[in-house]
Amino acid sequence: MSIFSDAEVKHVEDFGKFIAASPSSFHAAQEIAARLKARGYSQMFECDPVDVTPGGHFFVRDGAVMAWFIPEEVTRPAFRIIGCHTDSPGLKVKPSGSSKSPDGWGQIDVELYGGLLLNSWLDREIGFAGRIIDRHGNEHLVKTGPIARVPQLAIHLDRDINSGFKLDRQKHMQPVWTLGDKSLFTHLAQLVGLESERDIVGHDLVSFTAQAPARFGLDEEFFAAGRQDNLSSVHAGLTALERMEASDFADIAVFAAFDHEEVGSSTRSGASGPILESTLRRIAAGLGKDEDGYHQMLAGTTCVSADAGHFVHPNYAERHDPNSHPMPGKGPMLKLNANQRYASDAVGAALWARMCEAAGVPAQAFVSNNAMPCGSTIGPLTATRLGITTVDVGIGLLSMHSAREMSHVSDHLAMSRVLEEYWKGA
């Protein structure tokens, strides 16, 4: 007998399907777009006038999606923004694509994208996915099968490996994928129906793990999959939108799924770029607001920066704050940092408390051990660029930035319900 409700099980199963359909940020954006369309949202193109008619609208820019819902009556002209990101650390294909070792191994030439756990990519079957651009400027999404593997050195050839294991980021992380001098680009061209690899003039391709998402544990209470940082928040926000009816929205709801968070966000589709600000400005202008009216809207605007956090690790508990040990199944977490690596402050914390209370969901807090520098999110970037109250939150993970991360089944639906209550006016 399951210890989870049918709704929790269905939600995490849907999350698994979403991850499988989103091996790259570009695939994630495509999947978000398809699901929003199915819910009645209209897709616009950035070169067209912004659509501010009542209802849902969105556009896609590379691996990012900006979506918004305009209520029938905008009585309180302000935005409620949920921000997240579609990218994850991994291996990215270099311009050369593939090469042959002196001994005849066919290898894929990669560089490292983001702060990945290198050892987690060893000895597992991986594929590559993303976009290629042909000579006519057309974009093709592509996903290979499990074609590659980064093989670890056998212990017989390094007897000290368990006491001094260190990976060279250039020498030791190049996957093998064939024998001989076969071309990766020839394979990709065939997958998308191009005549030859000469038709490929640009590409953005990243690795993904071939192992399917799965539940495990005595009661199958845990969920294992790649890219949970940060597709967990993308899926939570998307499913919250899917459940909502037109009458549910308190303000103008904005769903901002950025790309490139793992490498600093300083791109045209990242949170440090103008994509969100320009979207808000265009919506405000479409509603008849001048510059002062836009800033009046911002004064009442808030943002929930949704990104994964850390469970206390049972084997490394000393790495965590002694009084902050977030645990699986205890609800999503508020993320705090005195140096504003997270944007949460007292006002944001109060907003988060109202959201969780309205959803009937327990919550917990995460703060780093003072001796351990913490990461950051889109939260401080958004707060700095727009000057709006921003709170950093997320579900907990173990093995963050691993090729295969671990979460708890019940936390996923809980997070989605909390985000839903935020858009409803909590």
Side-chain angles (χ1 to χ4, degrees):
M1 182 176 178
S2 175
I3 63 172
F4 302 108
S5 68
D6 289 343
E8 288 172 323
V9 171
K10 289 178 180 178
H11 187 88
V12 82
E13 288 176 348
D14 183 67
F15 180 41
K17 294 175 182 176
F18 181 77
I19 290 175
S22 307
S24 75
S25 60
F26 307 103
H27 287 81
Q30 181 188 58
E31 184 68 9
I32 296 167
R35 291 180 61 152
L36 287 176
K37 283 182 180 179
R39 193 67 181 85
Y41 281 63
S42 62
Q43 182 171 4
M44 64 164 284
F45 298 93
E46 292 184 80
C47 57
D48 297 328
V50 70
D51 194 338
V52 293
T53 58
H57 315 280
F58 73 94
F59 69 84
V60 176
R61 179 190 290 181
D62 302 329
V65 178
M66 296 291 121
W68 59 96
F69 192 96
I70 307 293
E72 285 287 343
E73 293 184 15
V74 184
T75 55
R76 293 185 299 167
F79 302 102
R80 286 179 175 255
I81 305 165
I82 291 174
C84 50
H85 66 90
T86 58
D87 64 318
S88 302
L91 310 173
K92 186 172 183 180
V93 177
K94 288 183 174 180
S96 53
S98 57
S99 58
K100 185 176 72 171
S101 78
D103 298 300
W105 289 100
Q107 294 186 273
I108 296 177
D109 303 331
V110 299
E111 56 183 325
L112 308 184
Y113 179 91
L116 67 164
L117 280 172
L118 297 181
N119 64 308
S120 71
W121 288 93
L122 301 179
D123 298 336
R124 67 171 73 236
E125 288 63 56
I126 61 177
F128 287 85
R131 66 177 178 181
I132 57 178
I133 309 298
D134 67 27
R135 63 176 64 255
H136 303 293
N138 300 312
E139 179 178 304
H140 305 265
L141 292 191
V142 64
K143 175 185 176 183
T144 73
I147 61 171
R149 179 183 174 100
V150 183
Q152 190 170 184
L153 184 66
I155 194 169
H156 311 80
L157 303 178
D158 185 355
R159 294 292 183 178
D160 297 324
I161 196 166
N162 286 327
S163 58
F165 181 57
K166 184 176 181 180
L167 291 166
D168 184 286
R169 295 165 68 88
Q170 174 62 38
K171 291 171 57 179
H172 299 152
M173 295 306 298
Q174 308 304 311
V176 297
W177 80 294
T178 188
L179 294 172
D181 54 1
K182 299 180 181 68
S183 168
L184 174 65
F185 293 141
T186 295
H187 179 60
L188 296 174
Q190 292 171 347
L191 288 178
V192 299
L194 297 177
E195 289 187 4
S196 76
E197 67 174 80
R198 292 189 297 274
D199 291 320
I200 299 175
V201 296
H203 59 86
D204 294 297
L205 302 163
V206 294
S207 59
F208 67 92
T209 58
Q211 188 177 0
R215 292 171 59 188
F216 73 101
L218 177 62
D219 294 309
E220 294 191 326
E221 64 264 55
F222 304 123
F223 180 76
R227 287 179 43 74
Q228 294 194 65
D229 176 15
N230 184 34
L231 292 186
S232 59
S233 298
V234 174
H235 182 259
L238 176 61
T239 51
L241 273 184
E242 290 175 328
R243 288 193 303 271
M244 295 179 69
E245 301 297 334
S247 59
D248 291 336
F249 294 91
D251 297 296
I252 299 171
V254 177
F255 180 52
F258 300 99
D259 200 352
H260 302 126
E261 190 274 346
E262 298 294 356
V263 291
S265 297
S266 297
T267 67
R268 77 186 211 105
S269 53
S272 285
I275 185 171
L276 175 58
E277 181 180 3
S278 65
T279 300
L280 301 182
R281 284 185 174 276
R282 294 183 70 184
I283 293 171
L287 294 172
K289 302 294 182 180
D290 59 13
E291 183 70 9
D292 187 62
Y294 166 68
H295 287 285
Q296 289 179 37
M297 292 182 72
L298 285 191
T301 292
T302 55
C303 176
V304 176
S305 168
D307 202 346
H310 302 283
F311 288 136
V312 61
H313 198 299
N315 299 335
Y316 301 91
E318 73 281 0
R319 300 287 181 125
H320 298 260
D321 180 82
N323 299 309
S324 176
H325 281 191
M327 285 292 292
K330 303 298 184 182
M333 62 184 71
L334 171 69
K335 299 160 66 174
L336 301 139
N337 180 259
N339 296 305
Q340 290 295 287
R341 297 290 288 169
Y342 304 131
S344 306
D345 59 9
V347 175
L351 170 62
W352 175 245
R354 293 196 302 272
M355 293 162 58
C356 293
E357 182 179 6
V361 167
Q364 46 194 333
F366 171 82
V367 62
S368 294
N369 185 308
N370 290 337
M372 299 289 153
C374 75
S376 191
T377 67
I378 66 156
L381 305 177
T382 303
T384 299
R385 187 169 185 105
L386 297 176
I388 59 177
T389 294
T390 304
V391 58
D392 270 296
V393 302
I395 69 160
L397 299 178
L398 284 185
S399 307
M400 185 184 290
H401 286 198
S402 168
R404 192 166 175 86
E405 297 159 323
M406 172 180 167
S407 59
H408 190 270
V409 168
S410 68
D411 290 334
H412 292 281
L413 180 57
M415 182 68 180
S416 182
R417 284 176 169 163
V418 173
L419 296 183
E420 180 181 354
E421 291 300 327
Y422 168 65
W423 273 324
K424 287 182 176 180

